[in-house]
Amino acid sequence: MARIVHAAAAQMGPIARSETRKDTVGRLIALMREAKGRGAELVVFTELALTTFFPRWLIEDEAELDSFYEKEMPGPETRPLFDEAKTLGVGFYLGYAELVVEDGRKRRFNTAILVDRSGAIIGKYRKVHLPGFAEPQPRDHQHLEKRYFEPGNLGFKVWRGFGGVMGMCICNDRRWPETYRVMGLQQVEMVMLGYNTPYNHTGHADIDSLTQFHNHLSMQAGAYQNATWVIGTAKCGVEEGSNMVGQSAIIAPSGEIVAQAVSLEDEIITARCDLDLGKRYRETIFNFAKHREPEAYRLIVERKGAVPPPGE
């Protein structure tokens, strides 16, 4: 019997700095209802889906900074989303800023959770690959993720749910092949990720002009090379003066895009995802047990930065 997941990517247009949690959660619920109406049983929301992308500003008042983070999940303002998910029988991935006290100190993470169709949290992921800077740069919009978050400490786990093996990552993680491969080695069958990606993220015009190409390239390569579905969901459009990429996409284990958003605003795209499609690739081209040679890859975990060989 085929293992089919009817999945949706719930792209979001801009979230204004002044927009309340209640208003934003209302948008998420509307998207979830539309996805359900189109047959979806799993909805993938975006990174930092509850707030504007606040790392674009230097925020020195701690109370103001704290206002962008969730201290519990669900909390009073996000509970309606969980209740609606349970009523509709729809699961979801949700990205948000997480503030916790761990190891006796306040800690901040860029986090995503996976919620099943009963409204129960079955998985949590914290973003590992943080882009940007810890200190302000001479530019119009900052990218201070390294200031406002610390690297995730939960690794790249997978979870059983929706009839298969589910994985999560966030935004910049999608650019790193290790992200997908660690999950691929756990036989992941669907990777969910949200992103908030500005066009001017590197400061080099030639690279930034390829932002849309690189967005899909990284997700398609990750899907194909690890025989997994990838669902990438954007927060996009012009948000507080920052132009951000859309192109939310659902990508098959073949690397093919089977659904793609066409707007820069709230939009639902859906696909019928056959989890067994990945099995064909795991048994042929990417049969890891048969073809991988881990002894040849030691530098990947032994060395962090690139080092040239000795000599001139």
Side-chain angles (χ1 to χ4, degrees):
M1 181 180 296
R3 294 180 300 132
I4 305 299
V5 177
H6 294 275
Q11 178 172 285
M12 294 188 76
I15 298 177
R17 188 169 184 170
S18 60
E19 194 165 341
T20 67
R21 289 286 201 292
K22 181 178 180 181
D23 289 342
T24 305
V25 169
R27 288 171 62 183
L28 297 176
I29 290 174
L31 286 166
M32 180 180 284
R33 288 172 177 165
E34 180 181 347
K36 173 66 176 181
R38 294 171 60 175
E41 60 195 290
L42 172 60
V43 180
V44 180
F45 293 114
T46 188
E47 174 190 27
L48 298 178
L50 300 172
T51 67
T52 195
F53 186 76
F54 62 90
R56 67 169 58 94
W57 297 293
L58 175 62
I59 302 172
E60 297 182 293
D61 181 84
E62 188 166 359
E64 181 182 3
L65 180 61
D66 287 353
S67 70
F68 290 100
Y69 293 78
E70 309 304 312
K71 301 174 182 64
E72 58 180 326
M73 185 60 69
E77 294 170 309
T78 52
R79 169 60 69 181
L81 179 64
F82 286 75
D83 292 343
E84 187 67 15
K86 183 177 181 179
T87 298
L88 296 175
V90 173
F92 63 92
Y93 159 113
L94 178 72
Y96 63 97
E98 179 189 19
L99 178 60
V100 294
V101 176
E102 289 182 354
D103 303 324
R105 63 185 178 90
K106 183 185 286 189
R107 307 184 73 178
R108 304 175 190 273
F109 297 100
N110 191 336
T111 297
I113 52 172
L114 179 60
V115 177
D116 69 15
R117 286 174 289 219
S118 73
I121 297 173
I122 60 174
K124 176 186 282 190
Y125 168 76
R126 289 168 172 167
K127 186 175 181 178
V128 169
H129 298 104
L130 298 176
F133 304 91
E135 298 299 329
Q137 303 296 303
R139 55 196 298 180
D140 292 337
H141 293 100
Q142 300 299 321
H143 200 147
L144 297 173
E145 282 195 60
K146 289 185 183 294
R147 185 183 188 91
Y148 299 140
F149 301 110
E150 58 182 283
N153 59 353
L154 301 178
F156 293 104
K157 297 179 182 177
V158 299
W159 297 266
R160 290 200 175 274
F162 304 91
V165 181
M166 305 286 112
M168 294 186 280
C169 61
I170 299 173
C171 198
N172 191 46
D173 289 323
R174 75 192 188 278
R175 304 184 191 279
W176 298 87
E178 296 89 345
T179 295
Y180 304 96
R181 183 48 49 89
V182 172
M183 290 187 278
L185 287 168
Q186 300 170 79
Q187 206 164 302
V188 72
E189 295 175 303
M190 180 173 285
V191 174
M192 293 155 278
L193 70 97
Y195 57 93
N196 287 204
T197 300
Y199 277 95
N200 62 343
H201 58 295
T202 72
H204 297 278
D206 54 345
I207 299 176
D208 290 343
S209 69
L210 295 171
T211 295
Q212 290 182 304
F213 168 68
H214 291 153
N215 175 43
H216 280 167
L217 173 67
S218 57
M219 294 190 290
Q220 289 178 263
Y224 170 61
Q225 293 172 346
N226 295 278
T228 184
W229 288 87
V230 172
I231 302 179
T233 304
K235 170 134 55 71
C236 57
V238 181
E239 183 181 86
E240 297 292 350
S242 178
N243 194 12
M244 300 197 300
V245 176
Q247 291 192 317
S248 298
I250 300 176
I251 301 162
S254 61
E256 297 170 287
I257 295 174
V258 299
Q260 180 179 329
V262 296
S263 74
L264 291 174
E265 52 195 40
D266 292 10
E267 180 182 350
I268 289 289
I269 60 172
T270 60
R272 177 184 181 274
C273 302
D274 183 352
L275 298 183
D276 287 327
L277 180 59
K279 184 178 179 182
R280 304 175 194 177
Y281 289 88
R282 288 192 296 273
E283 292 178 345
T284 55
I285 300 170
F286 295 111
N287 185 327
F288 290 169
K290 184 177 182 180
H291 301 304
R292 290 187 76 248
E293 298 294 343
E295 287 297 316
Y297 317 146
R298 287 188 173 274
L299 277 183
I300 290 177
V301 294
E302 292 175 351
R303 182 179 294 174
K304 181 170 182 176
V307 178
E312 297 183 3

